[in-house]
Amino acid sequence: MITAIVRYRLPAAIGREECRAHFLSIAPGFGDVPGLIRKQFIWSGSGIAGGVYQWEKREDAHRFYQGPWLDGIRRRYGTDPEIEYFETFAVTDNPGGVVLVPE
């Protein structure tokens, strides 16, 4: 399992509410992305937004972060995203503290 953290700087014209509204409008579209397990949409008061993604394989992430997705980021925010990949060793789900250990 791979975790990718994606960050990009928002233009000054996009504040918290605009970012939130956009994320809520696009969130349902991530339900059928091949290899995607989960995505968290993130925003920071410092003008950074993005996502924390869990993927089955790194190849799934690389495939997704090209083409239409990358074009959309560039068009909407005027910048390329920073993407950092991590191998996920364990996930604890709450409530209950259930621990998943990916193979």
Side-chain angles (χ1 to χ4, degrees):
M1 182 185 302
I2 297 297
T3 299
I5 300 177
V6 176
R7 293 178 300 271
Y8 43 84
R9 178 156 298 283
L10 296 172
I14 300 178
R16 180 186 186 279
E17 291 309 312
E18 294 83 6
C19 184
R20 182 178 187 277
H22 177 68
F23 283 172
L24 292 176
S25 74
I26 66 170
F30 286 82
D32 60 356
V33 174
L36 181 64
I37 298 167
R38 165 182 303 119
K39 179 183 179 186
Q40 293 172 242
F41 295 81
I42 58 175
W43 175 86
S44 165
S46 66
I48 303 294
V52 178
Y53 299 72
Q54 276 192 323
W55 296 97
E56 291 176 10
K57 298 178 294 206
R58 184 182 281 252
E59 295 80 20
D60 296 325
H62 282 282
R63 189 172 38 256
F64 179 76
Y65 297 135
Q66 303 301 314
W69 179 86
L70 183 57
D71 293 343
I73 296 293
R74 289 173 172 163
R75 186 172 47 257
R76 181 162 172 81
Y77 305 115
T79 187
D80 280 358
E82 295 178 18
I83 304 172
E84 193 169 6
Y85 297 94
F86 300 86
E87 188 173 346
T88 304
F89 292 143
V91 176
T92 301
D93 281 333
N94 281 320
V98 176
V99 176
L100 168 68
V101 179
E103 294 184 24

